[in-house]
Amino acid sequence: MNYRTNNCGELNISHCGKSVKLCGWVSKIRDKGHLKWIDLRDIHGTTQLVFDRDRTKKNVLNIAKKIGREFVIQISGKVVERISHNKNISTGDIEIIVNEITILNESKNPPFTIEENTDGGDELRLKYRYLDIRRKPIQKNLLFRSEVASMVRKYLISNGFTEIETPFLIKSTPEGARDFIVPSRMNQGKFYALPQSPQTFKQLLMISGMEKYFQIVKCFRDEDLRSDRQPEFTQIDCEMSFVNQKDVMECFEGLLSDLLLEIHGIEKKSFPVISYFDAMNKYGSDKPDIRFGMEIHNIKEYTKNKGFKIFNDSEVVVAITVPKASIWSRKEIDYWIEWVKKPQVGSKGLVWVKNNLDGSVKSSVDKFYDYKNLKKWINECECKKGDLIFVMSGKKNETLIQMGKLRMEIAEKLNLRKAFEFAPLWVVDFPLFFKDDMNNYHPMHHPFTSPKSEHLDLLDEKPNEVHALAYDLVMNGNEIGGGSIRIINTKIQEKIFSVIGLNKKKSKEQFGFLVDALEFGAPPHGGIALGFDRLVAILNGDESIRDYIAFPKNNSGYDVMIKAPSEVDPQQLDDLGILKK
Amino acid sequence: MNYRTNNCGELNISHCGKSVKLCGWVSKIRDKGHLKWIDLRDIHGTTQLVFDRDRTKKNVLNIAKKIGREFVIQISGKVVERISHNKNISTGDIEIIVNEITILNESKNPPFTIEENTDGGDELRLKYRYLDIRRKPIQKNLLFRSEVASMVRKYLISNGFTEIETPFLIKSTPEGARDFIVPSRMNQGKFYALPQSPQTFKQLLMISGMEKYFQIVKCFRDEDLRSDRQPEFTQIDCEMSFVNQKDVMECFEGLLSDLLLEIHGIEKKSFPVISYFDAMNKYGSDKPDIRFGMEIHNIKEYTKNKGFKIFNDSEVVVAITVPKASIWSRKEIDYWIEWVKKPQVGSKGLVWVKNNLDGSVKSSVDKFYDYKNLKKWINECECKKGDLIFVMSGKKNETLIQMGKLRMEIAEKLNLRKAFEFAPLWVVDFPLFFKDDMNNYHPMHHPFTSPKSEHLDLLDEKPNEVHALAYDLVMNGNEIGGGSIRIINTKIQEKIFSVIGLNKKKSKEQFGFLVDALEFGAPPHGGIALGFDRLVAILNGDESIRDYIAFPKNNSGYDVMIKAPSEVDPQQLDDLGILKK
C-alpha cells in the first residue's frame, strides 16, 4: 500500500471530486467548534484539511482532537473547492474533506515556531537543526544548492570535464593554513591530513593525461573561525590541460554566465578584467564590488604645500564621493569618522568635503584649503552638487584597504549593494609573492602558481616584482573563485620553493611526488577552484553561507546538535598510540 | 593562441588536406633513417605523425631527433591519407606531415611501459600512479566511473531526490567498525570522527522534511584492510520518506535497471527476491551469485543410518552438483579437497560422488552407501550423467558458508562467472540481530533498522527470532547495496539499544540527538546505500575496485605515492594537545 496518492503542493481546482491520500506534518490547527481546519505540510507545499461535524465521521473527529502541531499524519479524503480562495499558495483553491486519518507519529511541541520567520535564536536553531530545516526558507536553500550543483555538473560535463574523486586521507603540509590531522592506527606515530584542497592531486591528474578534471568536494581548514567560515567547506575544483590563462577564464566565465542566465535570466558576457593593482587603487580591495561607483581617487597632488601636515606627510591621500550626502548632519558624519577608527578598519580618521546643492563648499579642513583648492578635489573625484567627499591619508596599501572598507560599508548602508544585481569580473596580474613582517616571502596563492614568463628573470633579484599567471573570479564584493596556470618546469618549481624558504630537503619531503611527476612529461595546465557554499549564497541574493549548509558548525567549530567534537574512549587513543597532554 | 585545433582521437579521412595543431605525449617512435613516425597520444586517442627528409624542414627534423618517449609536444602539420590504413584505431586512415614542432616538456624514461599491458608491478604502479593512469585501461576506468556517477545522479534527480552534503567532522560512536578520529585544536582534548556513513544525518534530513535525499559521498573505516578494501570508499547514499520497503526496492531496482540498460543494453526487470534464510540454504551466502546453478541441497535424510558416523553426527549434510565433472581425475578432486581445508574456508573435507556417463556411480563413501543410496542423492541434487557431487557436513551455518565458498570458487575456475552477464536480486528478511561468541546481540545492519511490525512482541524474549525490514541488493555474488526501513518510534529505538547492550546513558551520549529528533514528528522513512567503487567495477565486468579509484592506498592503508601517513611537525601535535606514546 502506498503511503499517499499526492503530495501537499500539487492539488488544485482541477482535482475537485477526486479521492486522495496525503501525508505530512500538521503545521496549523484552527478550531471553530463545529469546524476544524488543519494545514498539512510537506516539502512540496501545504494543503488545507477540513473536518466538520456534519460531514466527518465521529472516530475521525476523535483522532483529530488528539493531534498537535508537527504531528505526522496520513489522511484520505475528497478534494473540494474552498469557499474563500487563498491566492498566496498553489493549493489555495481547494481543501480536503477528511474521511480517514492515521497518526503516523506524534511530536513534542517544537522549541521554536516552524514558520517562514521563526522565533528561535541562532544556537537553538543549530541545536534543533532538523526542525530548523523544516522551515520553508532553509528547505528552499538546500533545494537551491542541489540545483546549482546539478547545473554546474551539467555545464562542466558538457564541456568535456571528467569528475574524479581525490583522496581525503592525505599528507600534512605545513605551508598555508593549518591542517586537520588524522592519527593512523596501522602506521602508529604517523598521521594523515585532511585536504585543504585537492591542488596537488588535480595537477597529478593532468600529468596523468586526464585533461579536464572537476570535482565538487569537501575541503578542510583548521583556522580560527571568523564568523561565516566553516572548518569544512565545499569547492568546485577544476583543472585543464593544454590551456593558457585565457582558456581557463573563458571556460569559467561561461559557467557563471550560464548560472546567471538559468537562475535569474540575466545575461552577462565579457566580464570586465582588471589588474590587481587597479583593483586596489580604485576599490581598495582585490575583490571589488563594482555594482556601484564610489571609486577611490588619489588626490595627493591637490593637497600638497597648504600647510596641512597630515596630508603632506602621507604617502597617499585618497578620496571617495558619497552620492547625495552633502545633506548629512554632523552626527551622521561623526558616525563614519568613528566607524573608520574601529580596530577592524584601523584608520586614524576622515576628512570630509560637502559640495552643497547651493554651490557652496564646506569641509573639515577649511583652515588649510580654500574654495579653489577644494574645487580641484571635487573635480578629481567627480563629485556632483549634493555629494560629499571622504578623504583618508596614510601609507598607500593600508589606506587603500581602509578606504575600500569604508566604501563597502557606506554602500551597504545606502542600499547600493542590491542582492539580485550581479556584477562579475576578473582580477588578474597578481604579485606572485607577498612579504610578511619578518621580510619572508610567501606565495600569494600557492607555490605551484606559474610566474609570467616575461618575469622569470626577476625571480632571483626582485621576487616582489614578479607577477603571476593567476586570476580571481569576483562577484559583488566576494571572491567566487581563484586559479592559476601552474608551473610545469622542475627548475622553476624548485626556484619558487627556495624563494619561499623551503629548502630542497623540506620541499622534497612535502612535495617530492609532485616535483618528481613534473619530470615525466607534465603538460601545460591550469585550473580554478570556486567556493561552492558562497557561490550558492550569492546566487540566491545572500551573503551568509550558514543557511546553505545542511548541518553547519558554530563559530567555535562545534556541532551543537550532535555535540562534536567530543571525548573518545581511552581505548581508541591507546590503539592509535597517542595520549592527551 | 590556442594550444591546438584538434585532439589526437578525432581526425579521419574527411580531414585530409586540413592544417591542424595537436598536443600530446610521444608514445612510440619509429625511425627508418629517411622516415620517422611518432605516435602522439592524448586521452582521446593516438595520431600518427610523420617526418621525412624530403617534406620536413631541417630544423623540425633536428628537434624531432631530441624527442623521447613521454615527451609532451605540440605540432602543426597537414592531414594526409596513410598508405597502409590501421583499422584498429579511429585515426588509422590518416597521418600528419609535421611542419612545426615544439617540445612543451621533456620526460625522463618512465619506470614502466605506458601501454595497455604494462610491465610495472603493483607497488611501482602505485608509486607512479600518475604514469599508471596514463595507460588507456586506467583512463577508461576513470572516465567510466565519472559517467556512471553522472547516470546515477540523473536517475535520482529525475526521481525527485535532492543532493545534500552531510558533515565529515562528526562524532565518534564505538558501535560498528572503528572510526578514524580527528583531534580538535579549538576544543582541546576532544575529537571529531570521520563518518563511516551519513546514516544518522540522512535520517535527520527525513525528520527535517527533505523527503528524498541522496549523496555520492566518501566514507571512512579504520579496519584492518583485507585485500581490495580501502580505508576511504565512496557510497551512493539515499533516504526517502513516506515509503515502505517495496517503494525503496522499486526505486533502486529502477536505478540498477537503468544502468544495465544504458551501459550494456541489457534489460533486467522484476529482480528475484529471496529471503536471507533461502539464500543461505541454497547458496551458502547472503550475496549469492545466481548466474549459474550449482545450488546447495540438503541430503541429510538420505545419509542416515548407514554407519557413516561423520554424516550421522552432523547437523547438516549438504551437496552441490558440479556439471560435467565426473571425468575429473583423482588429482583434480584432491585439489578441491585440499582447497576446502584452507583456513579461509575451514572445512574438514569433501565427499564426492561421480555420476558417470556410462551409468555407473562411484563415490568416496562406497563403503557406506550403495548404488541405490547414491541414486537418491543424485536425484535430490539434480545431478545429470557426467556430473559430480561434492558433499560436506557439519554444523548448519558454517557448513553452508563453506559450501557456498566452494560453489563460488568452482564456478570461478569453470568460468561460469561471466563478467558481462548480470544477475541482480534482492535478499530480504534478515534477522535483526546476530549473537557474538560471548552471546551478546549486535545489530545485523545498524541499530536504526526497523523490526518487522509482526515481530515486535519477540523483542523482549526472543530477539534472535526478530526479522528486520532490511534488504540487500546483490549482483553477481557481490553486495551492491543494503538498506532498511528505519525505526521512527522512540520506545522501539530505546528497546533496540537495550538489546544490544547500550544503556540509556550511553545511547543518549552517542545517539541522543537522533532519539530526541524522533520525538518531534519523524516521518516513516527508509533508504539504502550502494558501494560505488564496487558497483562501478562490477558494471565494467571487473571485481577489483583499485583500478577504479584514482589514487588508492595499498593494503596497509598507505599511499605510496605521496608517502602518507607521515610524521608531522611536533608543534602541530602540541597545538592539538596530544602526545605520541
Side-chain angles (χ1 to χ4, degrees), chain A residues 112-137:
Chain A
F112 49 81
T113 53
I114 312 291
E115 277 165 20
E116 198 88 7
N117 291 305
T118 179
D119 56 358
D122 276 358
E123 283 285 298
L124 200 63
R125 287 173 49 209
L126 277 182
K127 180 172 176 192
Y128 296 95
R129 182 65 169 176
Y130 45 89
L131 296 178
D132 196 28
I133 298 177
R134 260 187 221 166
R135 295 169 49 235
K136 275 281 162 287

Side-chain angles (χ1 to χ4, degrees), chain A residues 412-435:
Chain A
E412 187 70 45
K413 278 274 159 62
L414 297 184
N415 205 19
L416 302 176
R417 304 189 62 213
K418 308 274 185 219
F420 290 100
E421 196 177 297
F422 298 94
L425 73 150
W426 290 99
V427 178
V428 297
D429 270 347
F430 285 86
L432 189 59
F433 305 105
F434 72 92
K435 252 188 202 172

Side-chain angles (χ1 to χ4, degrees), chain A residues 30 163 250 260 362:
Chain A
R30 275 162 305 149
E163 186 160 20
E250 266 175 24
L260 288 171
K362 179 103 190 70

Side-chain angles (χ1 to χ4, degrees), chain A residues 5 11-12 15-22 47-51 55-56 75-82 94-100:
Chain A
T5 58
L11 295 174
N12 56 48
H15 299 92
C16 282
K18 209 185 148 198
S19 288
V20 296
K21 196 160 34 160
L22 301 179
T47 298
Q48 182 167 290
L49 313 178
V50 62
F51 304 77
R55 292 181 292 178
T56 311
I75 62 98
S76 298
K78 196 189 259 187
V79 183
V80 297
E81 186 172 357
R82 283 199 207 184
I94 58 97
E95 59 190 4
I96 315 288
I97 300 175
V98 176
N99 54 42
E100 277 186 72

Side-chain angles (χ1 to χ4, degrees), chain B residues 226-281:
Chain B
R226 285 185 270 142
S227 84
D228 217 37
R229 277 254 185 129
Q230 291 280 322
E232 48 178 306
F233 53 96
T234 305
Q235 246 177 230
I236 306 171
D237 193 52
C238 304
E239 197 78 5
M240 307 162 80
S241 288
F242 303 116
V243 291
N244 50 40
Q245 176 165 330
K246 180 181 69 55
D247 298 322
V248 183
M249 285 167 64
E250 265 174 23
C251 180
F252 289 89
E253 184 160 321
L255 171 61
L256 189 53
S257 291
D258 258 30
L259 292 175
L260 288 171
L261 189 62
E262 197 160 344
I263 297 166
H264 296 294
I266 293 172
E267 276 209 49
K268 286 279 171 189
K269 278 187 178 152
S270 306
F271 297 177
V273 179
I274 72 174
S275 77
Y276 169 78
F277 295 98
D278 284 349
M280 291 307 294
N281 287 330

Side-chain angles (χ1 to χ4, degrees), chain A residues 218-221 230-234 533 553, chain B residues 166-169:
Chain A
K218 275 280 175 77
C219 300
F220 304 86
R221 264 175 222 173
Q230 292 281 322
E232 48 178 307
F233 55 96
T234 305
D533 306 298
K553 296 186 171 55
Chain B
T166 52
F168 279 72
L169 296 171

